Amino acid sequence: MKFLVIGADAAGMSAASRVKRNLPDADVTVLEKTEDVSYSACGLPYNIGDPGRDLSDLVVRKAEVFRSKQGINLLTGHTATRLDLSAQTVTATAPDGNDALFGYDKLLIATGASAVIPGIPGTDLPGVFALKTLGDGRSIKTFLERNSVRKAVIIGMGYIGLEMCEALRERNIDVSMMEMSETFIPWMNPALSDYVKEETEAQGVRLHVGYPAEKIERTGGALSVISGDLALEADMVILALGVTPNTGFASEAGLETGPSREIVVTRNLETSSADIYAAGDCADAYHVVTGSKIWIPLALRANRAGWAVADNVCGIRTELPGVAGTAVFKLFHLQVARTGLNPAEAEKSGFDPVEAVVKTRSRAHGHPGSNDIHVQITGDRKTGKLLGFQMVGHDGVAHRINAPAVALHAGMTVEEYAQSDLAYAPPFGPVWDPTLTAAIQLMKKL
Amino acid sequence: MKFLVIGADAAGMSAASRVKRNLPDADVTVLEKTEDVSYSACGLPYNIGDPGRDLSDLVVRKAEVFRSKQGINLLTGHTATRLDLSAQTVTATAPDGNDALFGYDKLLIATGASAVIPGIPGTDLPGVFALKTLGDGRSIKTFLERNSVRKAVIIGMGYIGLEMCEALRERNIDVSMMEMSETFIPWMNPALSDYVKEETEAQGVRLHVGYPAEKIERTGGALSVISGDLALEADMVILALGVTPNTGFASEAGLETGPSREIVVTRNLETSSADIYAAGDCADAYHVVTGSKIWIPLALRANRAGWAVADNVCGIRTELPGVAGTAVFKLFHLQVARTGLNPAEAEKSGFDPVEAVVKTRSRAHGHPGSNDIHVQITGDRKTGKLLGFQMVGHDGVAHRINAPAVALHAGMTVEEYAQSDLAYAPPFGPVWDPTLTAAIQLMKKL
């Protein structure tokens, strides 16, 4: 069996490795356009923030190990350019510039996503960087080493933008952020996002919301990011406007794609074309709350989908239930997390959302070191169903979001969740876990 | 409506307060034998460990507030001695030594539990203490202040014993522990309990397992705890052999009790006698995994049951699904948690248990500050059902146990749990949450 994989990161290498484990005799080839394979992209901001750490720390497994120990034909420097569905072949440009042809019985497209580069002048100036790949990380770290960077501007305030904000502050760089939306973290309840905003500003970061970046200029030695009357000077500019799936290759071949150009897959990770799978940041997923399709590029899903593709390819039929959209990030002293839907998303999906917001404490009454913890919960008025949670706090947020996430998978009502027997000890929380307090408050409104 | 409550801690005061909120005109009387009401008993060890903190920090709400602000007739120093079911009256000894009679329409028994005092000589010697009540905490703190305590022996290695071990080490007291069982933390998988044992011993604590305490002696100025050839000298001895429900009062009146003498209650918290409820550490509960009765005294359940009693008393019919036995404690730098059943408990309940144990990391690959995290999972071979989890680690255990707890409430299989979309960010965990890794390993065995 010839299994061909395009893309050698989380989804691609998970699938390739597992096929070789399932079927040691399978012929597994992976085409990767860069020289980097199997690294933790999510770890890039933290690594960049620490001059003492090497980017190689982020590499989970080296290409050589995949080749020699696992028997995977891993070809780096190979850019897939054309997919011929009827011939079951992929054409790729090899490092020597020539085309090479690869046949397959089963194909996995795991081409990931790329940073969005806004269509404004100046994004190609030296000192302007996006951050998605290990290569991007290398460029940024090299630039920081070779230049005296005192001021940076980050365009965009999503996860990557905020994580890069912390990373640059760690290096004692002055940071300004610019965002076209009028609200800071638009998906978040204002009580929670205001708390995050205060913490960010307390770290000396200047936040400019409602400013669409119009151009980046270089005048003398300095860069300048311009939006109307606002001009922010910088030695370095980070573009953090989100990511877009790398699916040109797939859609040109006629594979079905969704509203964000992500590849549409079944619960078995099958694309619209026989024997072709897609997984990772380039593919969509079912949302466990809505039952509808959604595109949320997340690392766990990429790994899980890679495994599921491998099993399906090997005849072990495997369906994935989908994602709850559970995510967490660290921002200075804060932990910020979410799972499921916020009220606006719930309304779009046909629910009748009601929310409650509570501020409680991260530790028991009278226990030292207790901090505020802010919890938002969304439920459905019609069915009483739990729809989502958001949380912000100094401690005890990152893992606390997982109990609500499991409740969403189980389709629990708010009342059922409120009855959960959660752990209690004074150093770790109040008797009523903050998520339970939020659920109890919401029950009064349902 | 006359609502009478016996016991003014978590369950009793939750119920009394909520009845007054539900029905402001209700006549609510609470009889409490001590002078202490509504305090965090779980916070006692931490408070004792810190000479700078006052025990009053643990009082959640003062008696005066319940009386004047909430209109509850809270009578401290009143010991209930007799329950007359047909007359619907309770006799109590008042502080003046005389009997007083209290009628009721609805009665809640929330008498809690007491520390087990072993039937060995010397438990009444000065310097020998149990720890359950605020009064016990006061006695211990006063003793520590007035005496130069350099060495302590703790008999028993349950939660309280281990928490007291940490508290006394915090005060730089030399600690030895003695336990009759041959194993350290018998409910825990040896791979996990060995890890806890190592950490405890690394803190200079001497652990003597397989030694039933036979007597406590005072020779000269020092106490001595004796078990066969072993004699442990101490300035102070803590009895930490668990708790027993305070149900003599209830069983004398003919209320049904269970194997540990806990009061048997329905999902509505009704006892075997009409109009009488029981809640808190004196009452049993349904276990959500087995569906059978269990007695696990836990603070969250006590509070929740108090509320449910109040609602039922006020005609709002409320059933509690039960407990998963979720618990966490801190021991020096470790967090130790469990939920659900271990293999031995599962077998007793008629399951065909299979377990997996994994050692993984608390943070992402390459992220600094990562520690080992040990996870044990139990599942049922026949049904694939998730039965329980245990976890030990330096960070990220306390709240991580709650996702499995919710899964137990939802009756998930191990496979369903393994598909949960849990949060990931490098500072907080690996891509595959350690509980997911454990579930995946267990699936291979099921």
Side-chain angles (χ1 to χ4, degrees):
Chain A
M1 199 266 294
K2 273 182 148 172
F3 181 46
L4 181 63
V5 177
I6 306 173
D9 207 339
M13 293 319 295
S14 297
S17 299
R18 195 171 172 101
V19 164
K20 278 306 258 187
R21 271 200 303 280
N22 287 346
L23 296 175
D25 293 338
D27 172 354
V28 178
T29 297
V30 181
L31 308 177
E32 165 58 43
K33 67 178 175 183
T34 73
E35 292 301 322
D36 300 314
V37 304
S38 191
Y39 59 90
S40 166
C42 304
L44 282 167
Y46 308 96
N47 192 294
I48 291 168
D50 184 351
R53 283 179 64 203
D54 198 274
L55 279 168
S56 65
D57 289 357
L58 299 177
V59 176
V60 179
R61 204 172 296 173
K62 288 188 179 155
E64 216 20 63
V65 176
F66 286 112
R67 289 181 187 125
S68 60
K69 295 265 169 70
Q70 294 184 247
I72 294 167
N73 182 28
L74 171 52
L75 303 172
T76 55
H78 281 69
T79 306
T81 54
R82 192 169 164 268
L83 165 60
D84 186 329
L85 297 179
S86 54
Q88 304 221 135
T89 56
V90 168
T91 308
T93 309
D96 62 8
N98 293 323
D99 274 359
L101 200 67
F102 299 87
Y104 64 84
D105 297 315
K106 306 280 181 186
L107 174 68
L108 168 60
I109 301 172
T111 42
S114 295
V116 170
I117 307 297
I120 60 170
T123 57
D124 53 353
L125 287 169
V128 180
F129 301 95
L131 176 62
K132 177 69 178 70
T133 66
L134 196 59
D136 295 334
R138 223 172 267 130
S139 305
I140 292 172
K141 270 197 128 159
T142 306
F143 187 84
L144 288 169
E145 275 157 28
R146 296 193 183 157
N147 297 275
S148 160
V149 175
R150 285 158 306 153
K151 285 195 284 187
V153 170
I154 299 171
I155 305 177
M157 296 184 188
Y159 298 151
I160 299 290
L162 292 168
E163 287 172 349
M164 274 307 294
C165 167
E166 177 176 354
L168 297 175
R169 290 298 297 131
E170 282 286 314
R171 295 180 77 131
N172 217 13
I173 294 167
D174 191 79
V175 178
S176 296
M177 298 186 78
M178 185 189 270
E179 160 70 45
M180 80 165 80
S181 160
E182 293 286 341
T183 43
F184 177 67
I185 316 187
W187 54 263
M188 190 175 262
N189 178 281
L192 278 68
S193 62
D194 284 353
Y195 189 70
V196 180
K197 196 177 176 194
E198 276 167 32
E199 167 77 11
T200 310
E201 287 175 337
Q203 298 291 333
V205 177
R206 279 172 298 281
L207 300 174
H208 303 274
V209 294
Y211 288 95
E214 285 156 15
K215 58 182 168 182
I216 306 170
E217 284 179 350
R218 175 171 284 281
T219 40
L223 294 163
S224 185
V225 184
I226 292 159
S227 175
D229 293 345
L230 183 71
L232 300 176
E233 289 226 336
D235 304 310
M236 177 186 229
V237 174
I238 304 287
L239 305 172
L241 292 115
V243 295
T244 181
N246 296 327
T247 53
F249 167 87
S251 57
E252 277 163 27
L255 299 192
E256 189 188 345
T257 54
S260 303
R261 299 199 287 131
E262 69 280 14
I263 300 172
V264 173
V265 293
T266 64
R267 289 187 197 276
N268 306 78
L269 290 315
E270 290 166 334
T271 67
S272 57
S273 187
D275 299 318
I276 304 181
Y277 297 80
D281 290 0
C282 65
D284 70 1
Y286 284 91
H287 195 290
V288 294
V289 178
T290 64
S292 305
K293 281 307 192 66
I294 187 117
W295 179 63
I296 311 178
L298 286 169
L300 174 58
R301 164 75 185 187
N303 282 272
R304 185 176 266 150
W307 281 13
V309 167
D311 286 348
N312 281 306
V313 160
C314 299
I316 308 161
R317 194 152 175 90
T318 304
E319 292 200 340
L320 295 186
V323 298
T326 315
V328 63
F329 67 96
K330 177 179 174 293
L331 185 61
F332 301 108
H333 301 299
L334 290 184
Q335 305 179 0
V336 186
R338 70 169 297 184
T339 190
L341 309 176
N342 66 22
E345 292 160 347
E347 201 160 345
K348 263 189 214 158
S349 295
F351 294 104
D352 182 5
V354 191
E355 70 176 329
V357 179
V358 300
K359 186 174 93 169
T360 163
R361 302 288 286 169
S362 69
R363 299 187 185 186
H365 177 88
H367 202 88
S370 186
N371 287 300
D372 284 345
I373 187 162
H374 296 255
V375 184
Q376 184 273 2
I377 178 173
T378 307
D380 181 35
R381 197 189 305 272
K382 280 179 296 213
T383 59
K385 215 179 139 168
L386 176 66
L387 300 176
F389 262 101
Q390 302 172 3
M391 231 183 297
V392 179
H394 282 73
D395 57 303
V397 165
H399 307 121
R400 213 171 228 132
I401 200 70
N402 289 340
V406 171
L408 293 177
H409 275 272
M412 278 187 176
T413 63
V414 174
E415 191 173 353
E416 284 166 345
Y417 183 76
Q419 290 296 348
S420 301
D421 184 18
L422 304 187
Y424 162 62
F428 307 122
V431 176
W432 291 94
D433 185 89
T435 61
L436 298 177
T437 302
I440 289 164
Q441 290 307 312
L442 183 57
M443 279 167 61
K444 294 180 185 168
K445 296 184 176 184
L446 282 171
Chain B
M1 201 269 292
K2 271 181 147 171
F3 181 46
L4 180 63
V5 177
I6 306 174
D9 208 339
M13 293 320 294
S14 296
S17 299
R18 195 169 171 102
V19 165
K20 279 307 261 185
R21 272 202 303 279
N22 286 345
L23 296 176
D25 293 337
D27 173 354
V28 178
T29 297
V30 181
L31 308 178
E32 166 58 41
K33 67 177 175 182
T34 73
E35 291 303 321
D36 301 314
V37 304
S38 192
Y39 60 89
S40 166
C42 302
L44 282 167
Y46 309 97
N47 193 294
I48 290 168
D50 184 351
R53 283 178 65 203
D54 198 274
L55 280 168
S56 64
D57 289 358
L58 299 177
V59 177
V60 179
R61 204 171 297 171
K62 287 187 179 156
E64 217 20 63
V65 176
F66 287 112
R67 289 181 188 126
S68 61
K69 295 265 169 68
Q70 294 183 248
I72 293 167
N73 181 28
L74 171 52
L75 303 171
T76 55
H78 280 69
T79 306
T81 54
R82 191 168 166 269
L83 165 59
D84 186 331
L85 298 179
S86 54
Q88 304 220 135
T89 55
V90 169
T91 309
T93 309
D96 60 9
N98 293 323
D99 273 0
L101 200 68
F102 299 87
Y104 64 85
D105 296 317
K106 305 279 180 187
L107 173 69
L108 168 60
I109 302 173
T111 42
S114 295
V116 170
I117 307 298
I120 60 170
T123 58
D124 53 354
L125 287 170
V128 181
F129 301 94
L131 177 63
K132 178 68 177 71
T133 64
L134 196 58
D136 296 334
R138 223 173 268 128
S139 304
I140 293 173
K141 270 196 128 161
T142 305
F143 187 84
L144 288 168
E145 276 158 26
R146 296 193 183 157
N147 297 274
S148 161
V149 175
R150 284 158 308 152
K151 285 195 284 186
V153 170
I154 299 171
I155 305 177
M157 296 183 187
Y159 298 151
I160 298 291
L162 293 167
E163 286 171 351
M164 273 308 293
C165 168
E166 177 176 354
L168 296 176
R169 290 298 298 132
E170 282 285 315
R171 294 180 79 132
N172 217 15
I173 294 167
D174 191 77
V175 178
S176 296
M177 298 186 79
M178 185 189 271
E179 159 71 45
M180 80 166 79
S181 161
E182 293 285 343
T183 43
F184 177 68
I185 316 187
W187 56 261
M188 189 176 260
N189 180 281
L192 279 67
S193 61
D194 284 352
Y195 190 69
V196 180
K197 196 176 174 194
E198 275 167 33
E199 167 78 10
T200 310
E201 288 175 336
Q203 298 291 332
V205 178
R206 278 172 299 279
L207 300 174
H208 304 274
V209 295
Y211 288 95
E214 286 155 14
K215 58 182 168 183
I216 307 170
E217 284 178 350
R218 174 172 286 280
T219 39
L223 293 164
S224 184
V225 184
I226 293 160
S227 176
D229 293 343
L230 184 70
L232 300 175
E233 289 227 335
D235 303 310
M236 178 185 227
V237 174
I238 304 286
L239 305 172
L241 292 116
V243 295
T244 182
N246 297 328
T247 54
F249 168 87
S251 56
E252 277 163 28
L255 298 192
E256 189 188 345
T257 55
S260 303
R261 300 199 286 130
E262 68 280 12
I263 301 172
V264 173
V265 294
T266 64
R267 289 187 198 276
N268 305 79
L269 290 315
E270 290 165 334
T271 67
S272 58
S273 187
D275 299 318
I276 303 182
Y277 296 80
D281 290 359
C282 65
D284 71 1
Y286 283 92
H287 195 291
V288 295
V289 178
T290 64
S292 306
K293 281 307 192 65
I294 188 118
W295 179 63
I296 311 179
L298 286 170
L300 174 59
R301 164 74 185 188
N303 282 271
R304 185 177 267 151
W307 281 13
V309 167
D311 286 349
N312 281 306
V313 159
C314 299
I316 308 160
R317 194 152 175 89
T318 305
E319 291 200 341
L320 295 185
V323 298
T326 314
V328 62
F329 66 96
K330 177 177 173 294
L331 185 61
F332 301 107
H333 301 300
L334 291 185
Q335 305 178 1
V336 185
R338 70 169 296 184
T339 190
L341 308 177
N342 66 22
E345 293 160 345
E347 202 159 343
K348 263 188 216 159
S349 296
F351 294 104
D352 183 4
V354 191
E355 70 176 330
V357 178
V358 301
K359 186 175 95 170
T360 164
R361 301 289 286 169
S362 68
R363 300 186 183 186
H365 178 89
H367 202 88
S370 187
N371 286 303
D372 284 345
I373 187 163
H374 296 255
V375 184
Q376 184 273 1
I377 178 173
T378 307
D380 181 35
R381 197 189 304 271
K382 281 178 296 214
T383 58
K385 215 178 138 169
L386 176 66
L387 300 177
F389 263 101
Q390 301 172 4
M391 230 184 298
V392 179
H394 282 73
D395 57 302
V397 165
H399 306 119
R400 213 170 229 136
I401 200 70
N402 289 340
V406 170
L408 293 178
H409 275 272
M412 277 187 175
T413 63
V414 174
E415 191 172 354
E416 285 166 345
Y417 183 76
Q419 290 295 348
S420 300
D421 184 17
L422 305 188
Y424 162 61
F428 307 121
V431 176
W432 291 94
D433 185 88
T435 61
L436 299 177
T437 302
I440 289 163
Q441 290 307 313
L442 183 57
M443 279 167 60
K444 294 179 186 169
K445 296 184 176 185
L446 283 172

